Amino acid sequence: RVSELCPGVRLAIFTDAVPYSNDSFMQALGLFDQRLIKLDAGDADTFCAVNKPRNGVCLDDMAVALGTLDGITIQTMLITGLVDNRQSVMSDGYARLVERAGATEVQLCTIDKRPAYDGVLPVTEEELLDVAEALRAKIAAPVNVYYQDCPSAFPIDTPPCADLSRDVSVST
């Protein structure tokens, strides 16, 4: 166990929580000190367009299952272009999912690296702030915005905005 090898070290997990119906998965989530759950939409159609899950997902059931844990952080990546999830994230459906999941924080961000799919673009800082303001009126959890100054598109000869791999290195 990590607590025996490294006393005092806190563990976090970042997941889309799609296997929420698996008891072992949910039990494992409970072992982490911090659970960051990726939720990029408030409706099934937008969720599937953004995340492309292999199996069907019932967002309401997922939120109820997550609500059994002691606090989670919802992280939402806002995008535009080929898929646009801004309206879905500002919807009452998204707010209900966040509340049902018992989120203690919502983190909003946008892409800062070249995405896997062409035509997916970041939103502006102003758009992130607008969505945050709309959400703050609907949910109890604090809504925080994370943004790096990124171009509105990713030309082929332009490197991604940031190489975050240096910030998350792990040695064994």
Side-chain angles (χ1 to χ4, degrees):
R1 295 182 56 88
V2 172
S3 60
E4 294 167 3
L5 295 172
C6 302
V9 170
R10 295 178 44 84
L11 292 178
I13 187 169
F14 183 68
T15 178
D16 63 9
V18 168
Y20 65 87
S21 61
N22 180 310
D23 290 338
S24 296
F25 174 79
M26 291 302 295
Q27 188 176 21
L29 276 183
L31 298 174
F32 288 86
D33 300 300
Q34 185 177 20
R35 293 162 291 279
L36 295 111
I37 309 299
K38 178 178 169 38
L39 179 63
D40 297 324
D43 65 274
D45 289 342
T46 306
F47 182 86
C48 288
V50 172
N51 295 291
K52 303 188 184 310
R54 283 185 266 156
N55 300 317
V57 174
C58 176
L59 294 176
D60 287 325
D61 289 349
M62 183 171 75
V64 169
L66 292 169
T68 65
L69 299 170
D70 290 332
I72 62 165
T73 298
I74 298 285
Q75 188 178 87
T76 300
M77 178 183 64
L78 294 166
I79 56 174
T80 189
L82 183 63
V83 177
D84 189 325
N85 65 343
R86 293 171 294 178
Q87 291 302 313
S88 180
V89 171
M90 287 191 292
S91 71
D92 290 341
Y94 177 90
R96 276 192 303 276
L97 292 172
V98 168
E99 294 294 335
R100 283 186 189 142
T104 57
E105 178 187 9
V106 173
Q107 298 176 351
L108 299 179
C109 61
T110 192
I111 54 176
D112 63 0
K113 293 183 179 184
R114 189 179 314 275
Y117 301 100
D118 289 336
V120 177
L121 302 170
V123 299
T124 65
E125 182 177 20
E126 182 178 335
E127 289 169 310
L128 280 171
L129 294 170
D130 288 346
V131 172
E133 184 177 335
L135 288 177
R136 287 180 185 123
K138 295 180 179 190
I139 63 174
V143 179
N144 296 305
V145 170
Y146 298 88
Y147 184 81
Q148 273 185 277
D149 190 17
C150 290
S152 60
F154 299 97
I156 291 175
D157 60 347
T158 302
C161 290
D163 178 7
L164 300 179
S165 63
R166 68 185 185 288
D167 296 332
V168 292
S169 61
V170 176
S171 59
T172 55

